[in-house]
Amino acid sequence: MSVAEQIRTIAAEARQASFAMAKLSSAVKNELLLDMAQGLVNNAEEIIAENKKDLAAGKERGLSSAMLDRLMLNEARIKGMADAIREVAALPDPVGEVTGMWKRPNDLMVGKMRIPLGVIGIIYESRPNVTSDAAALCLKSGNAVVLRGGSEAIHSNLAIATVLKGELAKRNIPAAALSLIPFTEREGVTEMLKQEEFIDVIIPRGGESLIRFVVENSKIPVIKHYKGVCHIFVDASADFEMAREIIINAKVQRPGVCNALETLLIHKDIAESFVPFIYEALDAQKVEIRGDETFRSFAPQAVPATEEDWYAEYLELILAARVVDGLDAAIDHINRYCSLHTESIITGDYGNAQRFIREVNSGVVMVNASTRFSDGNQLGLGAEIGISTTKLHSFGPMGLTDLTTTKFIVYGAGQVRP
Amino acid sequence: MSVAEQIRTIAAEARQASFAMAKLSSAVKNELLLDMAQGLVNNAEEIIAENKKDLAAGKERGLSSAMLDRLMLNEARIKGMADAIREVAALPDPVGEVTGMWKRPNDLMVGKMRIPLGVIGIIYESRPNVTSDAAALCLKSGNAVVLRGGSEAIHSNLAIATVLKGELAKRNIPAAALSLIPFTEREGVTEMLKQEEFIDVIIPRGGESLIRFVVENSKIPVIKHYKGVCHIFVDASADFEMAREIIINAKVQRPGVCNALETLLIHKDIAESFVPFIYEALDAQKVEIRGDETFRSFAPQAVPATEEDWYAEYLELILAARVVDGLDAAIDHINRYCSLHTESIITGDYGNAQRFIREVNSGVVMVNASTRFSDGNQLGLGAEIGISTTKLHSFGPMGLTDLTTTKFIVYGAGQVRP
């Protein structure tokens, strides 16, 4: 069979297995996940041996030491993967939840019930722990899953998937409920993206170029997030100390992630005092600030900002900063430049807080809190399968519930339509 | 400007207008809709004059009398369109609803709030009332809308849209919140489908060929429904009279619609008595029955069914019928051949009713009720914008809520991430 035919077979078998997955009780799914966790621990030695092959190949291909570190598995990391699966097992099962029920004038009882999406495709890069994390979330929510990891981790991913699949067999669940595409060629991705008959949604996890490739080549709907250009607006009534703590946390605590702060907006009425205050604090943290003209009039050492800076996701210790006329101007700036990820206002004004919450339509909108909380775990979803910055199906951090949909259920007593 | 440039401008202005739409209060939106309804009635004469141009062109192009009737507007039909807008005005506004809120261990309050999707594109055929129906639903849910109707109704649609837009201006709402693509060439559709930067979702309303064209050419997510191959399974414990009433209603009351019955499955234990009983009842209603071998052993007059019949959406007085071994076989048949639209079980058995509800994952799953209830109005959603037979975002009949998404809202008091 050609690669294309084999991938079509994998997808078709996943669809068939999804019917069995959808019927499993929460108890069986939880036992399955706990066994998978234990299976990883029990087979750590073999997984590490396969991982060594990837590391050797990676060194030969000249991967950076940071990349090699992300790829590397040891006993502690495998235990971490097992713990992550156990956390998913402990989460409530969304499947079967009736989200509402009502009675029609003809006595029909109509409700909506959560069901799995069906077959979920995950396309990801480098870190082998995504194999077990994503599998656990998809299976717990009653879906079948088709995984396609990066070529640099192929031996590790296959070893992990083999252990997890072994646990399916023990419970008579079709092995096709969890598949890993074994081909490292790009064709492995492009063929997978053509299986719209069998795969319901694709969730890519990785850099912007991977995500663009997936979006451009997929016939299957994609839930995606390109980047996070997160804003903080410091209102005229902001507490300066609170603003400083939040801004430093949002920019400095972990600058390389999508919920880090990228653009700071400051109300003009406080610019004269707040700009030097925050410039000094950020400078002490070695943050380079690129300010607009007004900002630089109060902090002349700042680098001049250009139009591109308002669009930039720096992912390093650089911050764009602009003085704005007020809340309306801040919201206009955000609407124009934001990536629909996360925005926060620092304010003591009740009305402005409520307007910001209502009128800024990003995936996560905050008052007096660090953008770094924009994360499934931090917001209380439990584990996170990804973040969506498009509004269809899911918006913002996604948890187990986002891997389900609702069907209408109707209980009748012989009703017909007049 | 070229057609492509003009359509890009329309879409870009709609995006800009969507920010204003998202902020409107329910009261203002309701007043707007009531004025739009009255505007249609007040301008009926002009709309009818424009409609006559479409009818004349349609006759010249040789449209069937059924097509011409669907196209035709008179005072009564315009009053009906106005009433439909008033019904939408009376529905609860989904925007701003907080669907849940919880407190995190660090005292952050985290919730989810309904917001509009943004800009909705509707692509539809022939009936001019879709122009006002779709516009009312999109605007009520705080979205901007870009409409593209069929070329055969272009004068009618433009006249209706002009009246509706006039009411936007009176309330200082940007006119671009409601646009109708004025080009009748196919390019009008293909260019619209490229505006993924400005349009959030496309909802096509029309025949399967229109929908396939939209899906194949769209860079924007499409919420769609190809067809309705609806099933009824008559369980061994079914009440024969109830089964007959429901089956006749589902097949005969309006055979040309997507929620009409297309395949009947019958439990083998009652086949000997039920098959002749239902054959006679359907035959009296002039329904042609295409049965499998077992069915025909009890009703030899039936036409032999072929494999294609199990996939068929007849949309006329033809019914496929098959005798199955029991509930599992019925569910297997449905999983294999259904279009994820609507399926119903007729049963007196509690356990089988619950299993059918749980295990059949179509958009609408019923017990002891006619598939003809699978409709937004009948299920209690108020007006319906369409039906989705794919699971992402919406599944089954779609109402106002399906034109919204949820964002996370976070109320803090200075929290930072440790």
Side-chain angles (χ1 to χ4, degrees):
Chain A
M1 277 205 291
S2 67
V3 167
E5 283 164 342
Q6 287 180 67
I7 287 176
R8 187 174 161 81
T9 302
I10 289 172
E13 289 177 356
R15 163 67 73 211
Q16 203 54 41
S18 74
F19 299 128
M21 281 305 302
K23 289 196 272 188
L24 294 183
S25 70
S26 305
V28 169
K29 289 187 284 189
N30 292 344
E31 289 162 16
L32 171 69
L33 292 190
L34 294 177
D35 286 353
M36 285 179 161
Q38 196 54 46
L40 289 182
V41 173
N42 294 347
N43 293 279
E45 213 171 303
E46 282 176 47
I47 295 170
I48 291 168
E50 291 299 304
N51 181 250
K52 285 201 175 15
K53 296 183 190 169
D54 289 329
L55 289 171
K59 266 177 215 149
E60 210 159 290
R61 283 167 58 190
L63 292 189
S64 68
S65 59
M67 290 280 279
L68 289 171
D69 179 64
R70 291 175 67 192
L71 190 53
M72 190 267 289
L73 291 178
N74 55 25
E75 274 201 35
R77 288 191 176 178
I78 289 173
K79 192 178 165 303
M81 288 162 61
D83 287 342
I85 298 179
R86 293 189 185 106
E87 278 171 32
V88 174
L91 291 173
D93 183 355
V95 173
E97 184 197 354
V98 175
T99 60
M101 194 147 208
W102 53 94
K103 198 176 78 164
R104 297 292 300 150
N106 61 0
D107 277 355
L108 277 182
M109 294 293 302
V110 180
K112 297 194 89 170
M113 180 185 277
R114 281 209 178 281
I115 57 171
L117 284 174
V119 180
I120 296 172
I122 312 271
I123 298 177
Y124 56 103
E125 288 170 331
S126 77
R127 281 182 204 272
N129 64 304
V130 176
T131 307
S132 55
D133 288 357
L137 285 161
C138 292
L139 296 174
K140 171 80 183 220
S141 49
N143 295 285
V145 60
V146 179
L147 301 162
R148 205 288 187 179
S151 57
E152 69 288 354
I154 182 71
H155 294 98
S156 315
N157 289 337
L158 279 169
I160 294 163
T162 303
V163 171
L164 302 182
K165 277 174 93 82
E167 303 298 333
L168 291 170
K170 285 188 200 161
R171 293 180 185 275
N172 276 325
I173 302 167
L178 190 170
S179 295
L180 186 103
I181 304 267
F183 310 110
T184 55
E185 311 90 308
R186 186 137 265 203
E187 194 186 356
V189 177
T190 50
E191 287 301 324
M192 181 174 167
L193 295 175
K194 289 178 190 162
Q195 308 303 323
E196 78 269 30
E197 195 184 333
F198 304 121
I199 300 179
D200 294 281
V201 61
I202 296 284
I203 304 177
R205 292 180 56 159
E208 198 174 336
S209 71
L210 171 75
I211 294 169
R212 292 214 181 267
F213 180 82
V214 167
V215 167
E216 270 157 35
N217 289 278
S218 186
K219 297 199 158 191
I220 305 167
V222 179
I223 299 183
K224 61 187 175 289
H225 131 242
Y226 287 122
K227 56 182 185 173
V229 182
C230 301
H231 294 74
I232 287 180
F233 169 54
V234 184
D235 197 10
S237 57
D239 178 301
F240 278 26
E241 304 287 326
M242 183 198 284
R244 184 186 59 201
E245 293 309 304
I246 289 175
I247 291 164
I248 297 291
N249 183 257
K251 181 69 241 178
V252 176
Q253 194 225 9
R254 205 169 158 205
V257 292
C258 61
N259 59 18
L261 175 65
E262 303 292 10
T263 299
L264 178 64
L265 303 171
I266 297 161
H267 195 295
K268 70 170 179 354
D269 291 355
I270 54 166
E272 189 173 353
S273 52
F274 188 76
V275 167
F277 170 80
I278 198 68
Y279 183 88
E280 192 187 341
L282 286 161
D283 191 54
Q285 299 282 341
K286 307 200 185 319
V287 178
E288 173 187 323
I289 305 190
R290 303 192 182 167
D292 75 333
E293 211 176 307
T294 316
F295 186 96
R296 281 181 294 113
S297 72
F298 301 116
Q301 322 90 305
V303 178
T306 65
E307 176 73 9
E308 287 86 67
D309 285 299
W310 311 130
Y311 291 102
E313 186 191 33
Y314 301 115
L315 298 175
E316 52 181 316
L317 289 179
I318 303 174
L319 180 66
R322 183 176 205 173
V323 175
V324 294
D325 281 347
L327 181 59
D328 285 309
I331 293 175
D332 285 348
H333 179 101
I334 290 170
N335 278 342
R336 179 152 176 203
Y337 296 105
C338 82
S339 59
L340 297 178
H341 195 294
T342 302
E343 335 296 342
S344 185
I345 184 174
I346 319 296
T347 190
D349 185 288
Y350 171 79
N352 285 356
Q354 294 294 76
R355 273 195 61 204
F356 194 83
I357 286 279
R358 260 204 323 273
E359 296 182 18
V360 174
N361 284 332
S362 291
V364 183
V365 189
M366 302 177 157
V367 179
N368 294 344
S370 169
T371 57
R372 289 279 295 116
F373 288 113
S374 185
D375 166 287
N377 259 298
Q378 296 293 323
L379 295 179
L381 304 185
E384 175 183 287
I385 187 81
I387 291 187
S388 169
T389 58
T390 53
K391 292 179 183 167
L392 230 59
H393 187 70
S394 293
F395 193 34
M398 295 164 61
L400 273 181
T401 305
D402 298 279
L403 301 178
T404 66
T405 189
T406 55
K407 66 182 174 190
F408 285 87
I409 58 175
V410 180
Y411 291 101
Q415 285 89 338
V416 298
R417 191 158 165 187
Chain B
M1 276 204 293
S2 67
V3 168
E5 282 164 344
Q6 288 180 68
I7 287 175
R8 188 173 160 82
T9 302
I10 288 172
E13 290 177 357
R15 162 66 73 212
Q16 203 52 41
S18 75
F19 299 128
M21 280 305 303
K23 289 196 271 189
L24 294 183
S25 70
S26 305
V28 168
K29 289 186 284 188
N30 292 344
E31 288 162 15
L32 171 69
L33 292 190
L34 294 178
D35 286 352
M36 285 180 161
Q38 195 56 45
L40 289 183
V41 173
N42 294 347
N43 292 278
E45 214 172 302
E46 283 174 48
I47 296 170
I48 291 169
E50 291 300 304
N51 181 249
K52 283 198 177 18
K53 296 182 192 171
D54 288 330
L55 290 172
K59 267 178 212 147
E60 213 159 288
R61 283 168 58 191
L63 291 188
S64 68
S65 58
M67 289 279 279
L68 289 170
D69 179 63
R70 291 175 67 193
L71 191 52
M72 189 269 289
L73 291 177
N74 55 26
E75 275 201 35
R77 287 192 176 177
I78 289 173
K79 190 177 166 303
M81 288 161 62
D83 287 342
I85 297 178
R86 293 188 185 107
E87 277 171 33
V88 174
L91 291 173
D93 183 356
V95 174
E97 184 197 355
V98 175
T99 61
M101 194 147 208
W102 53 95
K103 197 176 78 163
R104 298 291 302 149
N106 61 0
D107 278 356
L108 277 182
M109 294 293 302
V110 180
K112 298 195 86 169
M113 181 185 275
R114 281 209 178 281
I115 58 172
L117 284 174
V119 180
I120 295 172
I122 312 271
I123 299 177
Y124 56 103
E125 288 170 330
S126 78
R127 283 182 203 271
N129 64 304
V130 176
T131 306
S132 54
D133 287 359
L137 285 162
C138 293
L139 296 174
K140 170 80 184 218
S141 50
N143 295 286
V145 59
V146 179
L147 300 162
R148 205 286 186 178
S151 57
E152 69 285 356
I154 184 70
H155 294 98
S156 316
N157 289 337
L158 279 169
I160 294 164
T162 302
V163 171
L164 302 182
K165 276 174 94 80
E167 303 298 334
L168 291 171
K170 285 188 201 162
R171 291 177 187 278
N172 278 326
I173 302 166
L178 189 171
S179 294
L180 187 103
I181 305 267
F183 310 110
T184 54
E185 311 90 308
R186 184 136 267 202
E187 194 185 356
V189 177
T190 51
E191 287 301 324
M192 180 174 167
L193 295 175
K194 289 178 192 163
Q195 309 303 322
E196 77 270 30
E197 194 183 334
F198 303 121
I199 300 179
D200 294 280
V201 59
I202 296 284
I203 304 177
R205 293 181 53 159
E208 199 174 335
S209 71
L210 170 75
I211 294 169
R212 290 213 182 269
F213 180 83
V214 167
V215 168
E216 271 156 35
N217 289 279
S218 186
K219 296 199 161 192
I220 306 167
V222 179
I223 300 183
K224 61 189 176 286
H225 131 242
Y226 286 124
K227 56 182 186 171
V229 181
C230 301
H231 294 74
I232 287 180
F233 170 53
V234 184
D235 196 11
S237 57
D239 178 303
F240 278 26
E241 306 285 325
M242 183 197 285
R244 184 186 59 202
E245 294 308 303
I246 289 175
I247 292 164
I248 297 291
N249 183 257
K251 182 69 242 180
V252 175
Q253 194 227 8
R254 205 168 157 204
V257 293
C258 62
N259 59 16
L261 174 65
E262 303 292 10
T263 299
L264 179 64
L265 304 171
I266 297 160
H267 194 294
K268 70 171 180 350
D269 291 354
I270 54 164
E272 189 172 352
S273 52
F274 188 78
V275 167
F277 170 79
I278 198 68
Y279 183 88
E280 191 187 343
L282 287 161
D283 191 55
Q285 300 281 341
K286 307 201 186 319
V287 177
E288 175 187 320
I289 304 188
R290 302 190 182 169
D292 77 331
E293 209 177 308
T294 316
F295 186 95
R296 282 182 293 113
S297 73
F298 300 117
Q301 320 92 305
V303 178
T306 66
E307 177 72 9
E308 287 87 69
D309 285 299
W310 311 131
Y311 291 102
E313 186 191 34
Y314 300 115
L315 298 175
E316 52 181 316
L317 290 178
I318 303 174
L319 180 66
R322 184 177 204 172
V323 175
V324 295
D325 281 348
L327 180 59
D328 285 308
I331 292 174
D332 285 348
H333 178 102
I334 289 169
N335 278 341
R336 179 153 176 201
Y337 297 105
C338 82
S339 58
L340 298 177
H341 195 294
T342 302
E343 334 296 341
S344 185
I345 184 175
I346 319 296
T347 190
D349 184 288
Y350 171 80
N352 286 355
Q354 293 296 74
R355 273 197 59 205
F356 193 84
I357 285 281
R358 261 205 323 274
E359 296 182 19
V360 174
N361 284 334
S362 291
V364 183
V365 188
M366 303 177 156
V367 178
N368 294 343
S370 169
T371 56
R372 289 279 296 115
F373 287 112
S374 184
D375 166 288
N377 259 298
Q378 296 293 323
L379 295 179
L381 303 186
E384 176 183 287
I385 188 82
I387 292 186
S388 169
T389 57
T390 53
K391 291 178 183 169
L392 230 58
H393 188 70
S394 293
F395 193 34
M398 296 164 61
L400 274 180
T401 305
D402 298 280
L403 301 178
T404 67
T405 189
T406 55
K407 67 181 174 190
F408 284 86
I409 59 176
V410 180
Y411 290 101
Q415 286 90 338
V416 298
R417 192 159 164 184

